[in-house]
Amino acid sequence: GAGVSQSPSNKVTEKGKDVELRCDPISGHTALYWYRQSLGQGLEFLIYFQGNSAPDKSGLPSDRFSAERTGGSVSTLTIQRTQQEDSAVYLCASSLVARFSSQPQHFGDGTRLSIL
Amino acid sequence: DQQVKQNSPSLSVQEGRISILNCDYTNSMFDYFLWYKKYPAEGPTFLISISSIKDKNEDGRFTVFLNKSAKHLSLHIVPSQPGDSAVYFCAAKTSGTYKYIFGTGTRLKVLA
């Protein structure tokens, strides 16, 4: 489809396991964001990619979290040694160049991550 | 430090009446504001935006008002419809940056 695609839509895993979440942005969108929404909370910024520039990782909550974006398109968010507090909906969004123009973000439907 | 606040977690409105959702911010450098609507199990979808050079932007049933001196924006939905029932997030950013700051959302329920 033409929208942002995220997979899997749901992931249940045991504490201590590693998980990998995938985001396929809208074609042509150079900006890609990852957010986390915990129960009853707003959207928490995690990481931002823009073209070939170094990503802004300032929102990653710990060194167990990492993300990469290959070829300026698909992105994966990896959480190592998952903890129960990592349970949340992880949302990916993409937009046209964001820095000096105001472009709304287009979100995927998210991955609901549950850590047992 | 919550720079964007939506102090009402929920709101119920009768179908056909006006829904007013509020958002306050603390950072005077914010100059672009957006509203998103989110249905359960879906990602947020963009509704309407406003830049700080305006105080009002209208799109169909949706109008956003910006009061810069009060650091307050509101989203008006007239007339409200049952399909408008969703969680509404406001977000803000500063031009020259890419980071959007989101509020915690307001759950709107439109009663038929």
Side-chain angles (χ1 to χ4, degrees):
Chain A
V4 176
S5 176
Q6 289 188 248
S7 62
S9 53
N10 283 284
K11 177 74 177 177
V12 180
T13 192
E14 291 179 347
K15 176 182 168 181
K17 301 279 191 186
D18 296 353
V19 295
E20 197 171 274
L21 313 179
R22 177 189 167 107
C23 173
D24 227 313
I26 292 172
S27 178
H29 280 191
T30 56
L32 187 148
Y33 302 75
W34 282 97
Y35 293 89
R36 176 170 73 173
Q37 185 183 17
S38 302
L39 195 63
Q41 303 297 312
L43 275 67
E44 174 190 4
F45 168 82
L46 295 178
I47 189 168
Y48 165 78
F49 294 92
Q50 170 58 51
N52 294 322
S53 302
D56 176 356
K57 305 179 182 180
S58 62
L60 295 178
S62 78
D63 58 9
R64 296 185 296 104
F65 287 72
S66 63
E68 61 178 29
R69 189 178 184 191
T70 52
S73 181
V74 172
S75 176
T76 53
L77 176 69
T78 302
I79 309 173
Q80 296 178 307
R81 305 181 303 281
T82 51
Q83 304 293 313
Q84 286 186 330
E85 62 263 27
D86 300 335
S87 296
V89 176
Y90 289 81
L91 290 158
C92 175
S94 71
S95 70
L96 295 170
V97 175
R99 190 175 181 102
F100 297 106
S101 66
S102 297
Q103 297 287 340
Q105 299 168 308
H106 300 263
F107 284 84
D109 288 340
T111 294
R112 182 174 296 278
L113 178 64
S114 300
I115 310 299
L116 303 178
Chain B
D1 174 27
Q2 208 172 341
Q3 298 184 66
V4 177
K5 299 177 187 177
Q6 293 178 257
N7 292 317
S8 298
S10 64
L11 174 69
S12 289
V13 170
Q14 207 66 36
E15 181 180 7
R17 308 294 285 266
I18 184 171
S19 294
I20 300 177
L21 297 113
N22 294 303
C23 181
D24 296 293
Y25 60 96
T26 57
N27 188 341
S28 57
M29 298 298 290
F30 288 149
D31 55 9
Y32 183 60
F33 305 87
L34 310 90
W35 284 95
Y36 286 84
K37 177 167 79 172
K38 186 182 184 300
Y39 292 120
E42 294 183 11
T45 55
F46 170 71
L47 257 184
I48 192 168
S49 64
I50 188 167
S51 99
S52 59
I53 61 173
K54 293 186 171 184
D55 53 21
K56 176 183 173 181
N57 189 24
E58 195 170 347
D59 183 0
R61 296 186 297 113
F62 301 91
T63 303
V64 55
F65 294 91
L66 176 62
N67 183 333
K68 290 185 286 291
S69 60
K71 296 193 183 72
H72 176 84
L73 67 155
S74 60
L75 175 68
H76 292 210
I77 307 173
V78 184
S80 301
Q81 299 172 354
D84 296 330
S85 297
V87 177
Y88 289 79
F89 291 96
C90 66
K93 77 187 274 288
T94 304
S95 55
T97 71
Y98 43 75
K99 194 176 289 186
Y100 291 81
I101 308 298
F102 283 80
T104 51
T106 296
R107 182 178 301 278
L108 173 66
K109 189 170 184 179
V110 180
L111 307 168

mmCIF file of all heavy atoms in Angstrom, chain B residues 17-44:
data_model
loop_
_atom_site.group_PDB
_atom_site.id
_atom_site.type_symbol
_atom_site.label_atom_id
_atom_site.label_comp_id
_atom_site.label_asym_id
_atom_site.label_seq_id
_atom_site.Cartn_x
_atom_site.Cartn_y
_atom_site.Cartn_z
ATOM 1 N N ARG B 17 -23.399 18.652 18.440
ATOM 2 C CA ARG B 17 -22.904 19.803 19.198
ATOM 3 C C ARG B 17 -21.431 20.038 18.890
ATOM 4 O O ARG B 17 -20.801 19.292 18.143
ATOM 5 C CB ARG B 17 -23.089 19.554 20.709
ATOM 6 C CG ARG B 17 -24.490 19.159 21.118
ATOM 7 C CD ARG B 17 -25.487 20.276 20.889
ATOM 8 N NE ARG B 17 -25.391 21.331 21.872
ATOM 9 C CZ ARG B 17 -26.122 21.396 22.989
ATOM 10 N NH1 ARG B 17 -26.973 20.438 23.283
ATOM 11 N NH2 ARG B 17 -25.995 22.413 23.809
ATOM 12 N N ILE B 18 -20.875 21.083 19.485
ATOM 13 C CA ILE B 18 -19.468 21.416 19.265
ATOM 14 C C ILE B 18 -18.580 20.647 20.250
ATOM 15 O O ILE B 18 -18.904 20.519 21.428
ATOM 16 C CB ILE B 18 -19.235 22.942 19.386
ATOM 17 C CG1 ILE B 18 -17.786 23.301 19.062
ATOM 18 C CG2 ILE B 18 -19.620 23.435 20.772
ATOM 19 C CD1 ILE B 18 -17.550 24.805 18.954
ATOM 20 N N SER B 19 -17.470 20.125 19.730
ATOM 21 C CA SER B 19 -16.436 19.536 20.595
ATOM 22 C C SER B 19 -15.266 20.512 20.616
ATOM 23 O O SER B 19 -14.840 21.006 19.557
ATOM 24 C CB SER B 19 -15.943 18.202 20.036
ATOM 25 O OG SER B 19 -16.955 17.228 20.051
ATOM 26 N N ILE B 20 -14.769 20.791 21.805
ATOM 27 C CA ILE B 20 -13.611 21.683 21.944
ATOM 28 C C ILE B 20 -12.528 20.944 22.718
ATOM 29 O O ILE B 20 -12.711 20.576 23.882
ATOM 30 C CB ILE B 20 -13.982 22.987 22.673
ATOM 31 C CG1 ILE B 20 -15.064 23.731 21.879
ATOM 32 C CG2 ILE B 20 -12.735 23.870 22.829
ATOM 33 C CD1 ILE B 20 -15.561 25.002 22.565
ATOM 34 N N LEU B 21 -11.418 20.719 22.037
ATOM 35 C CA LEU B 21 -10.285 20.040 22.668
ATOM 36 C C LEU B 21 -9.171 21.054 22.859
ATOM 37 O O LEU B 21 -8.869 21.828 21.955
ATOM 38 C CB LEU B 21 -9.814 18.878 21.791
ATOM 39 C CG LEU B 21 -10.871 17.795 21.611
ATOM 40 C CD1 LEU B 21 -11.352 17.732 20.181
ATOM 41 C CD2 LEU B 21 -10.325 16.445 22.033
ATOM 42 N N ASN B 22 -8.575 21.038 24.036
ATOM 43 C CA ASN B 22 -7.601 22.054 24.397
ATOM 44 C C ASN B 22 -6.194 21.503 24.550
ATOM 45 O O ASN B 22 -5.999 20.327 24.886
ATOM 46 C CB ASN B 22 -8.013 22.729 25.707
ATOM 47 C CG ASN B 22 -9.291 23.517 25.556
ATOM 48 O OD1 ASN B 22 -9.386 24.405 24.722
ATOM 49 N ND2 ASN B 22 -10.296 23.180 26.350
ATOM 50 N N CYS B 23 -5.236 22.392 24.333
ATOM 51 C CA CYS B 23 -3.832 22.019 24.417
ATOM 52 C C CYS B 23 -3.042 23.245 24.868
ATOM 53 O O CYS B 23 -3.262 24.348 24.351
ATOM 54 C CB CYS B 23 -3.374 21.544 23.034
ATOM 55 S SG CYS B 23 -1.660 21.017 22.932
ATOM 56 N N ASP B 24 -2.177 23.072 25.833
ATOM 57 C CA ASP B 24 -1.327 24.163 26.316
ATOM 58 C C ASP B 24 0.133 23.795 26.112
ATOM 59 O O ASP B 24 0.493 22.618 26.191
ATOM 60 C CB ASP B 24 -1.578 24.420 27.803
ATOM 61 C CG ASP B 24 -2.989 24.890 28.069
ATOM 62 O OD1 ASP B 24 -3.322 26.009 27.637
ATOM 63 O OD2 ASP B 24 -3.769 24.129 28.675
ATOM 64 N N TYR B 25 0.954 24.781 25.868
ATOM 65 C CA TYR B 25 2.371 24.508 25.698
ATOM 66 C C TYR B 25 3.189 25.523 26.475
ATOM 67 O O TYR B 25 2.705 26.605 26.834
ATOM 68 C CB TYR B 25 2.769 24.503 24.206
ATOM 69 C CG TYR B 25 2.518 25.796 23.465
ATOM 70 C CD1 TYR B 25 3.534 26.736 23.290
ATOM 71 C CD2 TYR B 25 1.271 26.076 22.919
ATOM 72 C CE1 TYR B 25 3.313 27.915 22.596
ATOM 73 C CE2 TYR B 25 1.040 27.251 22.219
ATOM 74 C CZ TYR B 25 2.066 28.166 22.065
ATOM 75 O OH TYR B 25 1.839 29.336 21.380
ATOM 76 N N THR B 26 4.415 25.158 26.761
ATOM 77 C CA THR B 26 5.246 26.032 27.588
ATOM 78 C C THR B 26 6.406 26.662 26.811
ATOM 79 O O THR B 26 6.930 27.687 27.231
ATOM 80 C CB THR B 26 5.827 25.246 28.782
ATOM 81 O OG1 THR B 26 6.564 24.120 28.276
ATOM 82 C CG2 THR B 26 4.720 24.743 29.695
ATOM 83 N N ASN B 27 6.779 26.048 25.698
ATOM 84 C CA ASN B 27 7.943 26.517 24.951
ATOM 85 C C ASN B 27 7.526 27.587 23.942
ATOM 86 O O ASN B 27 6.863 27.305 22.948
ATOM 87 C CB ASN B 27 8.587 25.327 24.229
ATOM 88 C CG ASN B 27 9.921 25.673 23.584
ATOM 89 O OD1 ASN B 27 10.222 26.840 23.357
ATOM 90 N ND2 ASN B 27 10.717 24.663 23.293
ATOM 91 N N SER B 28 7.949 28.815 24.171
ATOM 92 C CA SER B 28 7.551 29.924 23.286
ATOM 93 C C SER B 28 8.236 29.839 21.920
ATOM 94 O O SER B 28 7.892 30.596 21.009
ATOM 95 C CB SER B 28 7.873 31.262 23.948
ATOM 96 O OG SER B 28 9.247 31.327 24.263
ATOM 97 N N MET B 29 9.177 28.934 21.771
ATOM 98 C CA MET B 29 9.842 28.768 20.474
ATOM 99 C C MET B 29 9.029 27.906 19.513
ATOM 100 O O MET B 29 9.304 27.866 18.323
ATOM 101 C CB MET B 29 11.227 28.125 20.666
ATOM 102 C CG MET B 29 12.180 28.946 21.497
ATOM 103 S SD MET B 29 12.530 30.533 20.726
ATOM 104 C CE MET B 29 13.517 29.996 19.331
ATOM 105 N N PHE B 30 8.024 27.207 20.014
ATOM 106 C CA PHE B 30 7.174 26.411 19.124
ATOM 107 C C PHE B 30 6.477 27.335 18.140
ATOM 108 O O PHE B 30 5.913 28.368 18.527
ATOM 109 C CB PHE B 30 6.124 25.634 19.915
ATOM 110 C CG PHE B 30 6.653 24.486 20.710
ATOM 111 C CD1 PHE B 30 6.029 24.115 21.891
ATOM 112 C CD2 PHE B 30 7.735 23.734 20.287
ATOM 113 C CE1 PHE B 30 6.491 23.044 22.650
ATOM 114 C CE2 PHE B 30 8.210 22.670 21.032
ATOM 115 C CZ PHE B 30 7.582 22.331 22.217
ATOM 116 N N ASP B 31 6.515 26.972 16.863
ATOM 117 C CA ASP B 31 5.845 27.814 15.879
ATOM 118 C C ASP B 31 5.039 27.014 14.857
ATOM 119 O O ASP B 31 4.583 27.567 13.854
ATOM 120 C CB ASP B 31 6.859 28.725 15.173
ATOM 121 C CG ASP B 31 7.999 27.950 14.533
ATOM 122 O OD1 ASP B 31 7.921 26.710 14.481
ATOM 123 O OD2 ASP B 31 8.976 28.585 14.116
ATOM 124 N N TYR B 32 4.880 25.743 15.110
ATOM 125 C CA TYR B 32 4.060 24.923 14.212
ATOM 126 C C TYR B 32 3.365 23.885 15.073
ATOM 127 O O TYR B 32 3.994 23.218 15.892
ATOM 128 C CB TYR B 32 4.945 24.254 13.158
ATOM 129 C CG TYR B 32 4.202 23.431 12.140
ATOM 130 C CD1 TYR B 32 3.238 24.002 11.312
ATOM 131 C CD2 TYR B 32 4.467 22.072 11.992
ATOM 132 C CE1 TYR B 32 2.562 23.248 10.379
ATOM 133 C CE2 TYR B 32 3.797 21.310 11.045
ATOM 134 C CZ TYR B 32 2.854 21.904 10.242
ATOM 135 O OH TYR B 32 2.184 21.158 9.309
ATOM 136 N N PHE B 33 2.049 23.804 14.876
ATOM 137 C CA PHE B 33 1.233 22.958 15.746
ATOM 138 C C PHE B 33 0.329 22.079 14.887
ATOM 139 O O PHE B 33 -0.159 22.511 13.834
ATOM 140 C CB PHE B 33 0.365 23.839 16.667
ATOM 141 C CG PHE B 33 1.166 24.827 17.466
ATOM 142 C CD1 PHE B 33 1.470 26.079 16.929
ATOM 143 C CD2 PHE B 33 1.629 24.512 18.729
ATOM 144 C CE1 PHE B 33 2.226 26.986 17.651
ATOM 145 C CE2 PHE B 33 2.386 25.414 19.458
ATOM 146 C CZ PHE B 33 2.679 26.654 18.925
ATOM 147 N N LEU B 34 0.108 20.868 15.356
ATOM 148 C CA LEU B 34 -0.703 19.917 14.597
ATOM 149 C C LEU B 34 -1.665 19.202 15.536
ATOM 150 O O LEU B 34 -1.409 19.067 16.728
ATOM 151 C CB LEU B 34 0.167 18.843 13.929
ATOM 152 C CG LEU B 34 1.367 19.258 13.111
ATOM 153 C CD1 LEU B 34 2.612 19.339 13.976
ATOM 154 C CD2 LEU B 34 1.602 18.261 11.988
ATOM 155 N N TRP B 35 -2.742 18.724 14.962
ATOM 156 C CA TRP B 35 -3.657 17.831 15.654
ATOM 157 C C TRP B 35 -3.727 16.513 14.891
ATOM 158 O O TRP B 35 -3.812 16.498 13.658
ATOM 159 C CB TRP B 35 -5.052 18.440 15.758
ATOM 160 C CG TRP B 35 -5.185 19.507 16.798
ATOM 161 C CD1 TRP B 35 -5.067 20.860 16.610
ATOM 162 C CD2 TRP B 35 -5.476 19.330 18.189
ATOM 163 N NE1 TRP B 35 -5.255 21.522 17.792
ATOM 164 C CE2 TRP B 35 -5.504 20.607 18.778
ATOM 165 C CE3 TRP B 35 -5.708 18.211 18.996
ATOM 166 C CZ2 TRP B 35 -5.767 20.810 20.131
ATOM 167 C CZ3 TRP B 35 -5.968 18.402 20.347
ATOM 168 C CH2 TRP B 35 -5.989 19.684 20.893
ATOM 169 N N TYR B 36 -3.705 15.435 15.662
ATOM 170 C CA TYR B 36 -3.835 14.097 15.112
ATOM 171 C C TYR B 36 -5.013 13.412 15.780
ATOM 172 O O TYR B 36 -5.316 13.656 16.945
ATOM 173 C CB TYR B 36 -2.580 13.258 15.381
ATOM 174 C CG TYR B 36 -1.390 13.610 14.532
ATOM 175 C CD1 TYR B 36 -0.535 14.644 14.886
ATOM 176 C CD2 TYR B 36 -1.107 12.895 13.372
ATOM 177 C CE1 TYR B 36 0.560 14.960 14.110
ATOM 178 C CE2 TYR B 36 -0.013 13.203 12.584
ATOM 179 C CZ TYR B 36 0.812 14.242 12.965
ATOM 180 O OH TYR B 36 1.897 14.554 12.190
ATOM 181 N N LYS B 37 -5.634 12.514 15.031
ATOM 182 C CA LYS B 37 -6.721 11.692 15.552
ATOM 183 C C LYS B 37 -6.255 10.247 15.531
ATOM 184 O O LYS B 37 -5.618 9.799 14.580
ATOM 185 C CB LYS B 37 -7.954 11.872 14.656
ATOM 186 C CG LYS B 37 -9.125 11.020 15.058
ATOM 187 C CD LYS B 37 -10.402 11.472 14.348
ATOM 188 C CE LYS B 37 -10.496 11.003 12.946
ATOM 189 N NZ LYS B 37 -11.839 11.297 12.365
ATOM 190 N N LYS B 38 -6.590 9.519 16.597
ATOM 191 C CA LYS B 38 -6.152 8.129 16.661
ATOM 192 C C LYS B 38 -7.308 7.220 17.074
ATOM 193 O O LYS B 38 -7.889 7.387 18.144
ATOM 194 C CB LYS B 38 -4.993 7.979 17.655
ATOM 195 C CG LYS B 38 -4.398 6.575 17.670
ATOM 196 C CD LYS B 38 -3.291 6.460 18.687
ATOM 197 C CE LYS B 38 -2.637 5.080 18.619
ATOM 198 N NZ LYS B 38 -3.591 3.988 18.890
ATOM 199 N N TYR B 39 -7.598 6.255 16.186
ATOM 200 C CA TYR B 39 -8.553 5.210 16.521
ATOM 201 C C TYR B 39 -7.802 4.042 17.152
ATOM 202 O O TYR B 39 -6.590 3.869 16.918
ATOM 203 C CB TYR B 39 -9.278 4.716 15.257
ATOM 204 C CG TYR B 39 -10.198 5.725 14.627
ATOM 205 C CD1 TYR B 39 -9.996 6.153 13.308
ATOM 206 C CD2 TYR B 39 -11.298 6.243 15.312
ATOM 207 C CE1 TYR B 39 -10.858 7.063 12.717
ATOM 208 C CE2 TYR B 39 -12.151 7.163 14.726
ATOM 209 C CZ TYR B 39 -11.918 7.572 13.426
ATOM 210 O OH TYR B 39 -12.763 8.471 12.841
ATOM 211 N N PRO B 40 -8.497 3.204 17.937
ATOM 212 C CA PRO B 40 -7.836 2.046 18.559
ATOM 213 C C PRO B 40 -7.178 1.159 17.518
ATOM 214 O O PRO B 40 -7.727 0.934 16.434
ATOM 215 C CB PRO B 40 -9.003 1.328 19.257
ATOM 216 C CG PRO B 40 -10.024 2.373 19.492
ATOM 217 C CD PRO B 40 -9.913 3.322 18.341
ATOM 218 N N ALA B 41 -6.003 0.671 17.833
ATOM 219 C CA ALA B 41 -5.253 -0.267 16.992
ATOM 220 C C ALA B 41 -4.830 0.335 15.649
ATOM 221 O O ALA B 41 -4.471 -0.399 14.727
ATOM 222 C CB ALA B 41 -6.034 -1.559 16.762
ATOM 223 N N GLU B 42 -4.906 1.641 15.535
ATOM 224 C CA GLU B 42 -4.412 2.310 14.324
ATOM 225 C C GLU B 42 -3.410 3.389 14.725
ATOM 226 O O GLU B 42 -3.396 3.857 15.867
ATOM 227 C CB GLU B 42 -5.558 2.957 13.541
ATOM 228 C CG GLU B 42 -6.538 1.957 12.967
ATOM 229 C CD GLU B 42 -7.608 2.655 12.134
ATOM 230 O OE1 GLU B 42 -7.466 3.858 11.836
ATOM 231 O OE2 GLU B 42 -8.599 1.982 11.784
ATOM 232 N N GLY B 43 -2.571 3.793 13.755
ATOM 233 C CA GLY B 43 -1.681 4.900 14.022
ATOM 234 C C GLY B 43 -2.417 6.228 13.969
ATOM 235 O O GLY B 43 -3.508 6.322 13.408
ATOM 236 N N PRO B 44 -1.839 7.259 14.563
ATOM 237 C CA PRO B 44 -2.452 8.593 14.482
ATOM 238 C C PRO B 44 -2.522 9.057 13.034
ATOM 239 O O PRO B 44 -1.625 8.774 12.239
ATOM 240 C CB PRO B 44 -1.483 9.474 15.285
ATOM 241 C CG PRO B 44 -0.712 8.534 16.150
ATOM 242 C CD PRO B 44 -0.609 7.264 15.376
#
